[in-house]
Amino acid sequence: MSLSQPLVEASWPEPLQALHARVASTAPQEAVASSAEWREDFARWVRGASLEERNRAQAAAWERLSPGERTPAELLFLLSTLNELLWPYEEPRPGLLKQLLARQHAAVTALRDAGDTESAERIQRESTVTVSTVLTRYLKRHPEALSTLVRDVPCTYDGRALRFQDTVEVDLKYVMGAGAKSVDLLEQLRALLPDTRDGGRDKLTDFIRTRAARIPWREASEVLGERLFSLATSEDGRGGMRGFLACYPNGRKEPDWCSRAGLLLARTVEVGGPPAVVENLCDLLTLFDAPPVDGLRGALGALVQSDFETAADLGHARFVLDHCQGTMRKAEPALALTLLWLEERLFRASIRRGVPEAFERRARARAKLESLPGFTHLVWLAEECAEMWPRFRTPARPGLDGLVAWRKEVTWRMGRKPVLRKAAIEFLLWCAPEEASSEAELATLALVRTATDRRQVRRLLEHPSPRARFRARSLQAFLQAGAGQGKHAPDFEPSEPTTLTASLRHLHATRAVPVGGRTWLRDRDLEDLLVGAVGRVEADVAQRHPQRFREETSELVAGLLEGLRSELERVQADLGSLVASPLSLSMAVRRQPAPPPDGGAEVAFVVSVEREGFVRTRRVVRVPVAKLEQRGEGQWLPGFRLGRERLDALLARTEAAFCLFLVPAFVRPECWVVPARLARALMETQGALSGVPRDAAQGASRSLAQWLVYDVLGLWVGDERPDVVEAARQGDGAAEFVVDLTVR
């Protein structure tokens, strides 16, 4: 049944047509006396009416309740039969309560004008109870339609019932659902707060807060989050956000909401969105006030990864920085250091654009923070990082000796006092770009001297920034063996490292092998050139994965390999200038005429090396490839589709087998490489038959660039048996893609 106004007025069911005709012909002065007879006839019809007849009667009643001329007798008939006619079989009609009250007022006024005051008072009381029952019944079935039903009717709340025009009552405890079902009604009640009279507004707010506290937060947080951020992203929703969090105080402690607000702010600043939305999100971030949630860090985080040089307008960045400086607690040196660094970046971008007040703004920002302990050192580190970190993206990348000297200077300046070490540790792990990640982590390790510093790294595992959490997790794996020691505990290296990162750092500290695993390559600049070339292709593949993941895995692999071949060919001219002896690196890709019978994409890297006459080798590495897919829009699957039987068959042929996982740029723009035996063990641990868990693969993976340069070209891995090499090239067990890497 449609709720819209029909072109032809709905007719009563046939058994009611005679009754309605008799009602319509009754004189106004005889309406009250005849109403008892009408009700008896109507009750007899109700007992034998079918569902179809009830629906027709309801449609007819809707039409006669709508605006238009009605006789007093017809109004009395409608008011007396509402309980049976208006059942919530269909969606409720907008403005139901206002229309019912208008018809009630018309009927009572007609009786009073006729001089029948006693009947008018009785009809007033009886119809008010009937309207309350009908409204309650509809709200029980459709709690989300409260605003639609009671539109434009003033209300109040007495602690038990919601009252409209001080007469119609709705018992909220009766219509309130259980669990997440009550969220809709609570939101409807919150929408009524601005129009609720002062005497009942506070009581209604307390009722909403009390009922919201009973809802299991995990069930309600997703729905409520959508409501909150719809307010935050509307230009006129600033006042509603505070009222929302006043009704749902658990939201102030919700880390996901804080992270989402920070991401939305970053995106709005990046695209130059409406200034009102920037103000809304900044104001919202100040309302998150309980650890580990930190709205101020969320607001600053919106600018940490921003590129001021390419921004169309710096006005949003200026507003966010002013907002953060106005709400920052002066006892937060890490936030002060981050703020100084962002102000320095903004200053340099403003100077390049010729902004006249750039110097005055930087001076004002520093003047507000100069009372902090170690202010001079904080300014030095902010200026150094603003100068050095952008160079990692250019050919003027700092050299190895310069980086060592920089780390020593950072250690000497920032390691003097605990407050400076605390500020520098968080700042380096949070704000360093991906290109300078290694240098930032090494500088942080040099600053971690005491048990308090170790606790600071551990606290960063709950930082609002995913980048800071990821780096802190890497350092925590290295430092965990020294946890619980004294305040001035000496540096300690684990005798049996438990993770890949810890193992490499252990080998480096004991001088067994440098970090990076250099072998015959011998030259750091050469390594950086090759890692950078592969990394650029890898980053492009990861960033385009959300748009291309629906393509066949073989096509994705073909694009990746072609990108690697083109990039290595492009940097070939630079190889001769980096090493004393001539060096030639070539890459050729051959694709089998048809994919393997099982349909899985696989790459075989065949490395042939002849280096200065003392290294002659040919070895192969087999690499099955799997891609990460989406379940829905933006919802990535929790694992990669990869069968155990496939890995078992591969490991039966050779131990030189790795898995390549194509993923979007979750933390860093890279593809993940995991040893096939380790992937098989992860599947065994999780009890999976056809998939590798995503989180486990991420924790155990290396980037494609590091693996291809240090492990494959570095000759750490590979099977030298001639039969294995030939099996990878041809035959039933051959790989779909064969990549020949030749080094001379």
Side-chain angles (χ1 to χ4, degrees):
M1 181 177 63
S2 174
L3 298 182
S4 60
Q5 187 77 12
L7 296 178
V8 179
E9 189 174 82
S11 61
W12 294 96
E14 185 174 351
L16 286 182
Q17 289 180 4
L19 174 60
H20 182 260
R22 192 165 77 246
V23 169
S25 62
T26 302
Q29 59 272 19
E30 300 175 359
V32 175
S34 302
S35 60
E37 182 182 351
W38 303 337
R39 285 196 295 269
E40 291 178 2
D41 293 343
F42 181 78
R44 282 194 295 271
W45 173 83
V46 167
R47 286 193 290 270
S50 64
L51 180 60
E52 181 182 358
E53 290 177 326
R54 281 176 172 267
N55 285 331
R56 286 186 59 192
Q58 185 186 61
W62 276 132
E63 296 307 319
R64 285 153 181 81
L65 285 169
S66 61
E69 291 296 329
R70 299 287 182 263
T71 64
E74 188 174 7
L75 291 177
L76 285 178
F77 172 74
L78 291 172
L79 290 174
S80 63
T81 56
L82 286 179
N83 267 339
E84 294 296 337
L85 286 178
L86 298 188
W87 275 91
Y89 298 121
E90 303 292 340
E91 295 296 321
R93 185 172 183 138
L96 168 69
L97 180 58
K98 184 177 182 180
Q99 188 60 39
L100 293 182
L101 291 175
R103 290 308 192 184
Q104 180 196 45
H105 177 74
V108 171
T109 302
L111 290 175
R112 285 176 177 164
D113 292 344
D116 194 351
T117 306
E118 182 180 352
S119 296
E121 296 297 330
R122 179 174 59 81
I123 296 298
Q124 175 84 31
R125 291 192 303 270
E126 292 176 355
S127 59
T128 296
V129 174
T130 301
V131 172
S132 298
T133 303
V134 170
L135 181 61
T136 301
R137 187 186 298 151
Y138 268 97
L139 287 177
K140 187 69 174 177
R141 178 72 65 88
H142 304 285
E144 74 285 353
L146 174 62
S147 298
T148 301
L149 288 167
V150 303
R151 181 182 302 165
D152 299 328
V153 180
C155 69
T156 188
Y157 181 68
D158 61 2
R160 181 191 64 83
L162 201 62
R163 295 179 179 272
F164 298 92
Q165 286 191 346
D166 293 323
T167 56
V168 178
E169 294 186 359
V170 175
D171 189 338
L172 293 183
K173 294 182 180 179
Y174 176 75
V175 300
M176 185 68 63
K181 295 180 180 179
S182 62
V183 172
D184 284 333
L185 183 56
L186 290 178
E187 275 300 283
Q188 296 290 307
L189 292 174
R190 194 179 62 80
L192 291 179
L193 284 174
D195 299 325
T196 305
R197 289 206 297 262
D198 292 340
R201 188 178 304 149
D202 293 339
K203 294 180 181 179
L204 186 55
T205 302
D206 291 339
F207 174 82
I208 297 172
R209 185 184 293 115
T210 302
R211 297 299 300 222
R214 300 180 186 176
I215 304 174
W217 185 249
R218 185 172 298 179
E219 297 179 18
S221 59
E222 184 175 353
V223 176
L224 293 175
E226 295 302 323
R227 306 279 178 112
L228 174 62
F229 286 104
S230 66
L231 290 172
T233 53
S234 62
E235 298 189 19
D236 56 349
R238 190 170 186 180
M241 296 186 308
R242 291 184 174 271
F244 182 94
L245 287 176
C247 294
Y248 306 105
N250 284 341
R252 296 176 179 269
K253 305 174 184 178
E254 181 57 55
D256 291 341
W257 290 8
C258 182
S259 299
R260 183 174 176 182
L263 291 174
L264 282 175
L265 179 59
R267 180 61 178 165
T268 307
V269 171
E270 179 184 352
V271 301
V277 176
V278 175
E279 296 179 15
N280 289 351
L281 292 170
C282 284
D283 187 48
L284 176 60
L285 283 164
T286 61
L287 303 178
F288 297 102
D289 54 4
V293 176
D294 193 322
L296 193 54
R297 282 172 170 80
L300 285 175
L303 300 181
V304 165
Q305 301 186 57
S306 298
D307 188 354
F308 294 161
E309 299 297 334
T310 60
D313 181 18
L314 297 178
H316 287 341
R318 294 190 189 100
F319 177 85
V320 175
L321 287 175
D322 291 340
H323 164 82
C324 293
Q325 194 166 50
T327 56
M328 187 182 67
R329 298 178 291 273
K330 295 301 176 67
E332 291 275 2
L335 293 180
L337 177 54
T338 304
L339 192 60
L340 287 169
W341 173 68
L342 290 171
E343 285 284 357
E344 184 66 23
R345 289 177 55 206
L346 181 63
F347 166 74
R348 295 174 184 234
S350 301
I351 287 295
R352 293 187 181 94
R353 300 188 183 197
V355 178
E357 68 274 9
F359 285 93
E360 291 78 1
R361 177 184 174 87
R362 183 175 70 163
R364 289 195 304 269
R366 291 184 175 183
K368 295 178 182 179
L369 300 172
E370 61 184 0
S371 61
L372 289 173
F375 173 75
T376 303
H377 298 299
L378 296 178
V379 171
W380 174 86
L381 184 58
E383 291 180 346
E384 282 288 311
C385 293
E387 172 66 28
M388 186 185 70
W389 283 345
R391 291 171 55 193
F392 281 89
R393 303 187 181 98
T394 68
R397 177 189 174 100
L400 182 60
D401 293 339
L403 290 174
V404 172
W406 179 80
R407 289 197 297 268
K408 288 183 178 179
E409 183 73 7
V410 171
T411 305
W412 178 77
R413 284 179 174 268
M414 307 304 292
R416 293 180 174 184
K417 297 181 180 179
V419 65
L420 293 178
R421 291 201 301 273
K422 178 181 179 182
I425 288 172
E426 180 177 354
F427 170 71
L428 291 171
L429 295 183
W430 179 16
C431 299
E434 297 301 330
E435 298 83 358
S437 178
S438 299
E439 285 69 25
E441 291 181 14
L442 290 174
T444 303
L445 280 175
L447 290 171
V448 177
R449 299 179 177 179
T450 67
T452 301
D453 298 332
R454 290 187 176 89
R455 286 195 295 271
Q456 169 70 6
V457 173
R458 190 163 58 249
R459 280 194 291 268
L460 290 177
L461 295 176
E462 298 179 341
H463 198 276
S465 168
R467 176 196 286 178
R469 294 197 301 268
F470 182 82
R471 293 171 177 171
R473 191 178 301 118
S474 176
L475 294 185
Q476 178 64 16
F478 174 69
L479 296 171
Q480 61 185 355
Q485 298 183 13
K487 181 178 180 181
H488 302 288
D491 293 337
F492 178 76
E493 284 292 337
S495 58
E496 296 182 359
T498 57
T499 65
L500 177 62
T501 301
S503 300
L504 291 176
R505 295 190 188 280
H506 174 72
L507 293 174
H508 178 61
T510 57
R511 302 295 190 267
V513 66
V515 171
R518 279 178 282 162
T519 54
W520 59 272
L521 294 173
R522 298 190 306 171
D523 191 278
R524 178 61 180 264
D525 291 332
L526 173 61
E527 295 174 17
D528 288 345
L529 175 67
L530 295 177
V531 171
V534 179
R536 285 191 290 273
V537 178
E538 175 185 20
D540 180 67
V541 170
Q543 290 168 349
R544 295 173 61 192
H545 187 78
Q547 291 77 40
R548 299 192 57 194
F549 75 92
R550 294 182 179 86
E551 300 179 20
E552 293 294 333
T553 306
S554 296
E555 298 305 318
L556 297 178
V557 173
L560 170 63
L561 295 179
E562 177 58 27
L564 290 175
R565 189 198 62 76
S566 301
E567 190 67 20
L568 291 178
E569 182 179 354
R570 190 182 68 81
V571 302
Q572 177 67 35
D574 298 329
L575 295 178
S577 62
L578 293 177
V579 293
S581 59
L583 178 66
S584 172
L585 174 61
S586 62
M587 174 178 171
V589 181
R590 179 167 60 89
R591 188 170 183 177
Q592 300 288 349
D598 61 358
E602 183 180 331
V603 184
F605 290 94
V606 181
V607 185
S608 303
V609 177
E610 182 177 339
R611 178 73 170 131
E612 297 179 357
F614 68 86
V615 175
R616 292 184 179 87
T617 183
R618 175 173 293 171
R619 50 182 64 188
V620 65
V621 181
R622 303 289 293 266
V623 183
V625 185
K627 66 179 179 180
L628 190 63
E629 303 179 44
Q630 286 187 0
R631 177 187 294 114
E633 186 64 27
Q635 299 294 324
W636 295 97
L637 291 176
F640 302 90
R641 296 177 181 175
L642 193 64
R644 271 198 210 178
E645 296 81 0
R646 181 181 176 188
L647 289 184
D648 290 340
L650 184 62
L651 290 169
R653 290 193 293 264
T654 178
E655 287 290 324
F658 292 78
C659 296
L660 173 61
F661 298 121
L662 303 179
V663 296
F666 283 126
V667 179
R668 298 179 181 177
E670 63 186 22
C671 303
W672 301 343
V673 180
V674 177
R677 186 164 293 280
L678 178 56
R680 177 65 173 79
L682 293 175
M683 298 171 70
E684 185 73 27
T685 302
Q686 300 289 334
L689 296 175
S690 60
V692 179
R694 186 183 78 192
D695 293 339
Q698 180 179 4
S701 66
R702 298 182 70 189
S703 70
L704 175 63
Q706 293 180 346
W707 174 79
L708 187 60
V709 174
Y710 295 135
D711 288 11
V712 178
L713 290 178
L715 305 182
W716 283 52
V717 300
D719 198 320
E720 295 182 289
R721 293 176 293 175
D723 58 328
V724 178
V725 176
E726 291 304 316
R729 293 178 176 274
Q730 56 188 354
D732 295 337
E736 182 179 357
F737 297 89
V738 179
V739 178
D740 286 298
L741 292 167
T742 306
V743 183
R744 295 186 178 88

